[in-house]
Amino acid sequence: MNRIELTEVITANRISRGLTWQQLADAIDRPVVWTTAALLGQHPIPRPEAEILVEKLGLDTDVIPLLGAVPVRGTDRDVAMSDPTIYRLYEALAVYGPAIKELIHENFGDGIMSAINFSVDIDRKTHPTGDRVVITLDGKFLPYDWVSGD
Amino acid sequence: MNRIELTEVITANRISRGLTWQQLADAIDRPVVWTTAALLGQHPIPRPEAEILVEKLGLDTDVIPLLGAVPVRGTDRDVAMSDPTIYRLYEALAVYGPAIKELIHENFGDGIMSAINFSVDIDRKTHPTGDRVVITLDGKFLPYDWVSGD
Amino acid sequence: MNRIELTEVITANRISRGLTWQQLADAIDRPVVWTTAALLGQHPIPRPEAEILVEKLGLDTDVIPLLGAVPVRGTDRDVAMSDPTIYRLYEALAVYGPAIKELIHENFGDGIMSAINFSVDIDRKTHPTGDRVVITLDGKFLPYDWVSGD
Amino acid sequence: MNRIELTEVITANRISRGLTWQQLADAIDRPVVWTTAALLGQHPIPRPEAEILVEKLGLDTDVIPLLGAVPVRGTDRDVAMSDPTIYRLYEALAVYGPAIKELIHENFGDGIMSAINFSVDIDRKTHPTGDRVVITLDGKFLPYDWVSGD
Amino acid sequence: MNRIELTEVITANRISRGLTWQQLADAIDRPVVWTTAALLGQHPIPRPEAEILVEKLGLDTDVIPLLGAVPVRGTDRDVAMSDPTIYRLYEALAVYGPAIKELIHENFGDGIMSAINFSVDIDRKTHPTGDRVVITLDGKFLPYDWVSGD
Amino acid sequence: MNRIELTEVITANRISRGLTWQQLADAIDRPVVWTTAALLGQHPIPRPEAEILVEKLGLDTDVIPLLGAVPVRGTDRDVAMSDPTIYRLYEALAVYGPAIKELIHENFGDGIMSAINFSVDIDRKTHPTGDRVVITLDGKFLPYDWVSGD
Amino acid sequence: MNRIELTEVITANRISRGLTWQQLADAIDRPVVWTTAALLGQHPIPRPEAEILVEKLGLDTDVIPLLGAVPVRGTDRDVAMSDPTIYRLYEALAVYGPAIKELIHENFGDGIMSAINFSVDIDRKTHPTGDRVVITLDGKFLPYDWVSGD
Amino acid sequence: MNRIELTEVITANRISRGLTWQQLADAIDRPVVWTTAALLGQHPIPRPEAEILVEKLGLDTDVIPLLGAVPVRGTDRDVAMSDPTIYRLYEALAVYGPAIKELIHENFGDGIMSAINFSVDIDRKTHPTGDRVVITLDGKFLPYDWVSGD
Amino acid sequence: MNRIELTEVITANRISRGLTWQQLADAIDRPVVWTTAALLGQHPIPRPEAEILVEKLGLDTDVIPLLGAVPVRGTDRDVAMSDPTIYRLYEALAVYGPAIKELIHENFGDGIMSAINFSVDIDRKTHPTGDRVVITLDGKFLPYDWVSGD
Amino acid sequence: MNRIELTEVITANRISRGLTWQQLADAIDRPVVWTTAALLGQHPIPRPEAEILVEKLGLDTDVIPLLGAVPVRGTDRDVAMSDPTIYRLYEALAVYGPAIKELIHENFGDGIMSAINFSVDIDRKTHPTGDRVVITLDGKFLPYDWVSGD
């Protein structure tokens, strides 16, 4: 079994056992976005947390080393983008991505927002015209810096 | 002149005149992300604001109707993604997009975060390990709803 | 079994049992386009309806939670477009899509026709030169609106 | 000047002259979707209508033969799909296209909805939860029929 | 078994049983191009013909409903085009396609040659410099016609 | 001026001068499909014919050597395929291409229909249900033959 | 088993049995490039040669008809090009392809080098600066010739 | 002027002046394939040869430094492959590329045929069934060799 | 003038003036890889350095603000990869990229080598079998770290 | 089992047995980057080393000939690039690739850095602002040289 096949089993077992992502995150005391992404194959899961999750999800314990290995990250873009819920995020980048770039440079200088020293949070905010999804992307600013190890 | 050519002129004039996006946003009293995106060709700009911006940027007044027309939105994805600053945003979606989808469904039900009834904000947060870029995507939740006009 | 494999089984069983989509829709008292799309993996199916459909289609009852989960929506575009019946719909968008955009903006302002608060209907109309397929796309107009949750 | 360049001029002149598509359609007494599509380069425009439109739009009369020639139809899909207003139409096909195919076959037999013997209409319907865009695609059913001219 | 898997079985059995496409077409008294395309998964095959073919090809009778269902038509273009015999047909379109379009319009007006009310024939013609393959594409002319069902 | 730019001028001049492709073919006594394809940049045009065509189309005589040079043949597939009239030809190959391959092999053996020793003809055939476009592709059969020059 | 699966078995058995392509070619007294290509699924193999090869490679005799059928030729270009040894051939075409075209036309006139009436040979030549791979592509010149079968 | 624009001018001037590639190669005493490729923008041309060619082709002498600079090599693959004369070379690689790889490894070991220490030659060979184009690719064998500079 | 057009002018002027990249780097006392990349449009150039370079390259001083603006970084991959010198770098990643990933994780843990806090150096090393190009990529290790700004 | 399936088994066994790449490299006394790449399917592994690795990884000894065969090298670029750790390498090429090309030509002349006579090394360097990954690409310079074997 490779990590992609393992993710399919995790997905199926979570649904058939009626577990929420939040319950799984609570069980290991980690942020829910991190936990969900990790179970979907995007982060290695340390042994203690993996042991708990394997038990909750009814997985074989010999997948624990595989859960702990650094995965090949990423999502097939064509598949992901065909889903309307995910597509709206790509659409936001198509419309606002260049503006975000300009304002990062204007406010921080030449560099990037790290996607490695980084976290994502999702919140629900009430609003008179209907509840809102609020997604916060929070990454360290990294300035372009020509450093060599010598 | 079409809108894409106009955006090139705006970009060039802003640089040569040494104007910040924030100064342009302040001049029309609009949020800076909206103003930047609009000047980059992603939103129509109403006449009063257009008149101010045209003057600031040294544009010909006969571009005002073009600035006011609804543009064909979007960015050439291959070009946008080749830039490291913009790429990090796409990378975050590749790693966390499916997790975000799962959690929108878990917390709100079947539906999407609107990218139309929507806003984006960029903030700078200080942090002991280095300042952080915080991008907030804020969109109304729209449930899948099979409604017909009859 | 994942949702894509389940859709293959549904497709095969429907043909071998000689059931029409209309019969399946009638059994659960839902619109036929919605029912067909849902069974083809595009919408979650609530438990009561899923129980009926599982029985009609000779499926195992343990697929009911999977039918009830929000699916990854969408269709492989290359496959779908190679079919002449589906292609004509894409061709109509290639020829008339930009005109539809212009007229939505002219009649409603800057915004979109929602594909979430949305329904599709198919009718047969008689006509002297041959019967006609009439497809109605009916979606709520959503104006571009820069709203933040704060 | 080729037809694509001519479309750019038409687009620019329409905006700068403040003409609506409906006014142009009324001037030649043709349906507004047809007129808009034709002016965007998707249909040949007969001489009498072309003469009126050329005058309204301030074009040179020697473009009349070009407006009357059958164009190379279609839209660059990547450009068109990056616009959110147009994208929602493609999204509807991604979600409902295979269902529409199934139901055309169930109700009419093996064949297609013609996109040639075809019309499109856009309406505004009021609804308690907000006005709706209603797009009607109306095409002759063409059965697969193995006919040879001999 | 889905239709694509069934086509693989048909292809394998035809070769191992040493049957020609012409023999199969003769057995059901249908044109050989139609029969070959249908067995390769491009047309539904009515029950009487399907019963004969299933017997000839040593297939299980429970595939008869699947053979009778309208298939998702089309061929993976990249695979098909890599074959030199098929590629020459695409090459002919690359060289002569725009000329064919011009001459359809010159001789028939604005419209298309239907690929639905359509037949294909292949012949062998002798010629002093070597025998020739003659492929005849024969489709009804369909004029662009803006008809609505109302 | 390169050949692509020259083709644009030819196309524009033919329309503005109201010449049909048939008239141009008659003027040089060549088949009309060949003449149309050649003027669209797909074949070199010998000097005597080029001199006639240059005069008819109001071109400068110094383009005659360029018309006589072997062109880089072919058509941008994405552009060509977006046109419904051309698309139907590609659709016919998607549906019938593999069947044509099978029957070429069954009737002629392993090899191809040449697209070089080749001609195309377009005819109009009357038919009780509507006139038909009949396109004949006629190419020499070339058997796979492992020949070396030594 | 289809031809692609058969090629995988041939590849595996050849390696595990320690057979060279040359030994296989010698066994059937055919050129080694032809034999290798045929065993990799690019040419039909006549029964007498197939019987010898099946025995050498330890294949089941019932694959002989499949080896004798005309295959769908070609190689997945992305896979093939990722291999450095194959890529150098594509690189040579990227750098020299247009020059080869020009010189075929200059020396032979308008036409092509056939890839059907064609052979390939590979030789080893010694050279003071290191041994060289010499690949000879040898194909019949086919002039563009507008011939019809009538 | 960049190198691509310069190549267009060279191409046009060569045709209008009626020069053959062979004449240009003779004028600088270089192989004709090298000369053609170099003039098509694939190799730097040293000053002495550039001076002769500039004079022959009626170019401005200030392009000599540009002709002498190392170019960005390569050809747009989609454009090149649409031409039937060039396509046959790609087809040969699709059919014989993997076989060539196998035989390079069998005869030389693990490594590649260099496309840098490399030459191409084109010959005409007479043959009873028609003259043949013989293209010789001749490159140094480079074994995979894990060498480091330390 | 935008940055891409400016890069074309820089490239042309450098060649016609016979300046080396090293001379330009020395003039501004910066590393040569950084200087070359910056002049090719990949880094903003501060005013003091820009003033020197503008003078050396014979550019207009009003391009100094454009040289100082943060550019849209990146290279058109298809163009870049068609060049054999650049392609070898991509080939090295195709062959060794996954191994490099594994060893970064084995030696540093889960994370990346930064391409922002990063430098590149090129050296020439002599070697008995021929001089060697030695390219050193030197980037700070960034561990995956789930940090939020709150 | 083909080489790709074998690589999956190697990957899984290495993780479940808790072996590091360095341990495997030490066992066969080869450089660790070479060993990792070879085990990931990029290099043939000679029998003595293969025997040791097969034992360490718990593989069947009959895979030794397959490990010793020259593989089809390369990595699916879309998959590889979606991983952030690998992507940074591609990003470095997008930003610095053209500069590297220019400087190879400036320092060595027209030619390439070989990726065949080549090695890769990864080091860890300490640095006041954080440890650094240092990747050294070391390849023989190969000058463009028009050599023929005659």
Side-chain angles (χ1 to χ4, degrees), chain E residues 107-127:
Chain E
N107 294 324
F108 294 82
D110 187 14
I112 64 161
M113 174 186 71
S114 177
I116 306 298
N117 188 312
F118 181 75
S119 65
V120 188
D121 199 27
I122 302 181
D123 270 310
R124 183 179 193 126
K125 291 252 178 89
T126 57
H127 191 273

Side-chain angles (χ1 to χ4, degrees), chain I:
Chain I
M1 183 150 46
N2 61 34
R3 188 73 184 260
I4 290 169
E5 293 158 352
L6 177 52
T7 297
E8 288 231 345
V9 174
I10 288 169
T11 301
N13 286 17
R14 190 192 71 89
I15 290 170
S16 65
R17 296 187 161 222
L19 293 161
T20 64
W21 297 109
Q22 189 65 55
Q23 289 169 336
L24 294 166
D26 291 347
I28 60 171
D29 198 23
R30 287 274 186 135
V32 69
V33 181
W34 184 90
T35 305
T36 307
L39 283 166
L40 292 175
Q42 300 297 321
H43 289 303
I45 301 176
R47 176 166 280 274
E49 286 85 347
E51 284 173 349
I52 294 166
L53 293 169
V54 154
E55 196 270 328
K56 285 268 178 199
L57 288 160
L59 304 172
D60 205 289
T61 55
D62 60 15
V63 305
I64 290 175
L66 183 54
L67 284 172
V70 180
V72 178
R73 289 173 164 101
T75 313
D76 180 304
R77 195 159 10 232
D78 287 340
V79 170
M81 280 183 58
S82 80
D83 181 78
T85 307
I86 296 180
Y87 183 81
R88 293 306 178 278
L89 300 167
Y90 283 96
E91 183 174 300
L93 295 194
V95 173
Y96 300 104
I100 291 170
K101 170 183 166 68
E102 289 294 326
L103 293 167
I104 289 175
H105 297 327
E106 183 159 309
N107 293 326
F108 293 82
D110 187 16
I112 65 162
M113 174 185 72
S114 178
I116 304 299
N117 188 311
F118 180 77
S119 66
V120 188
D121 198 27
I122 301 181
D123 270 310
R124 181 178 195 127
K125 291 251 177 90
T126 56
H127 192 273
T129 62
D131 283 8
R132 301 182 73 78
V133 184
V134 180
I135 298 171
T136 308
L137 310 175
D138 179 336
K140 185 177 177 181
F141 176 71
L142 302 180
Y144 260 96
D145 202 4
W146 186 271
V147 180
S148 84
D150 300 318

Side-chain angles (χ1 to χ4, degrees), chain J residues 19-20 40 47 65 88 97 109 117 121 130 133 142-143:
Chain J
L19 293 162
T20 64
L40 292 175
R47 176 165 279 273
R88 293 305 179 278
N117 189 312
D121 199 27
V133 185
L142 302 181

Side-chain angles (χ1 to χ4, degrees), chain D residues 31 33-34 43-44 70-73 101 105 110 112 115-120 138 142-150, chain E residues 31 33-34 43-44 70-73 101 105 110 112 115-120 138 142-150:
Chain D
V33 181
W34 184 91
H43 290 302
V70 180
V72 178
R73 290 174 163 100
K101 171 184 166 67
H105 296 327
D110 187 15
I112 64 160
I116 305 299
N117 188 312
F118 180 76
S119 65
V120 187
D138 179 336
L142 301 181
Y144 260 95
D145 203 3
W146 185 270
V147 179
S148 84
D150 301 318
Chain E
V33 181
W34 184 90
H43 289 302
V70 180
V72 177
R73 289 175 164 100
K101 172 184 165 66
H105 297 327
D110 187 14
I112 64 161
I116 306 298
N117 188 312
F118 181 75
S119 65
V120 188
D138 179 336
L142 302 181
Y144 260 96
D145 202 3
W146 185 271
V147 179
S148 83
D150 300 319

Side-chain angles (χ1 to χ4, degrees), chain H residues 31 33-34 43-44 70-73 101 105 110 112 115-120 138 142-150, chain J residues 31 33-34 43-44 70-73 101 105 110 112 115-120 138 142-150:
Chain H
V33 181
W34 185 90
H43 289 303
V70 180
V72 177
R73 290 174 164 101
K101 170 184 167 68
H105 297 327
D110 187 16
I112 64 160
I116 305 299
N117 188 311
F118 181 74
S119 66
V120 188
D138 179 336
L142 302 180
Y144 260 96
D145 202 4
W146 185 271
V147 179
S148 85
D150 300 318
Chain J
V33 180
W34 184 92
H43 288 305
V70 180
V72 178
R73 288 174 164 100
K101 172 184 165 69
H105 297 326
D110 186 14
I112 64 162
I116 306 297
N117 189 312
F118 180 76
S119 66
V120 188
D138 179 334
L142 302 181
Y144 260 96
D145 202 2
W146 185 270
V147 180
S148 83
D150 302 319

Side-chain angles (χ1 to χ4, degrees), chain A residues 3-84:
Chain A
R3 188 73 183 260
I4 290 168
E5 292 158 353
L6 178 53
T7 298
E8 288 233 343
V9 174
I10 289 170
T11 301
N13 286 17
R14 190 192 70 90
I15 290 171
S16 65
R17 297 187 161 223
L19 294 161
T20 64
W21 297 108
Q22 189 65 54
Q23 288 168 336
L24 294 166
D26 291 348
I28 59 170
D29 197 24
R30 288 275 186 133
V32 69
V33 181
W34 184 91
T35 304
T36 307
L39 283 167
L40 292 175
Q42 299 298 322
H43 288 304
I45 301 176
R47 176 166 279 274
E49 286 85 348
E51 285 173 350
I52 294 166
L53 293 169
V54 154
E55 195 271 329
K56 285 266 178 201
L57 287 160
L59 303 173
D60 204 290
T61 54
D62 60 14
V63 305
I64 291 175
L66 183 54
L67 285 172
V70 180
V72 178
R73 289 174 163 100
T75 312
D76 179 305
R77 194 159 11 233
D78 287 340
V79 170
M81 281 184 56
S82 79
D83 181 80

Side-chain angles (χ1 to χ4, degrees), chain C residues 66-117:
Chain C
L66 183 54
L67 285 172
V70 180
V72 177
R73 290 172 163 100
T75 312
D76 180 304
R77 195 162 7 236
D78 287 340
V79 170
M81 281 184 56
S82 80
D83 181 79
T85 307
I86 296 180
Y87 184 80
R88 294 305 179 278
L89 300 167
Y90 283 97
E91 183 174 302
L93 295 193
V95 173
Y96 299 105
I100 291 171
K101 172 183 166 69
E102 289 294 324
L103 293 168
I104 288 175
H105 297 326
E106 184 159 307
N107 293 325
F108 293 82
D110 187 15
I112 64 160
M113 174 186 72
S114 178
I116 306 298
N117 188 311

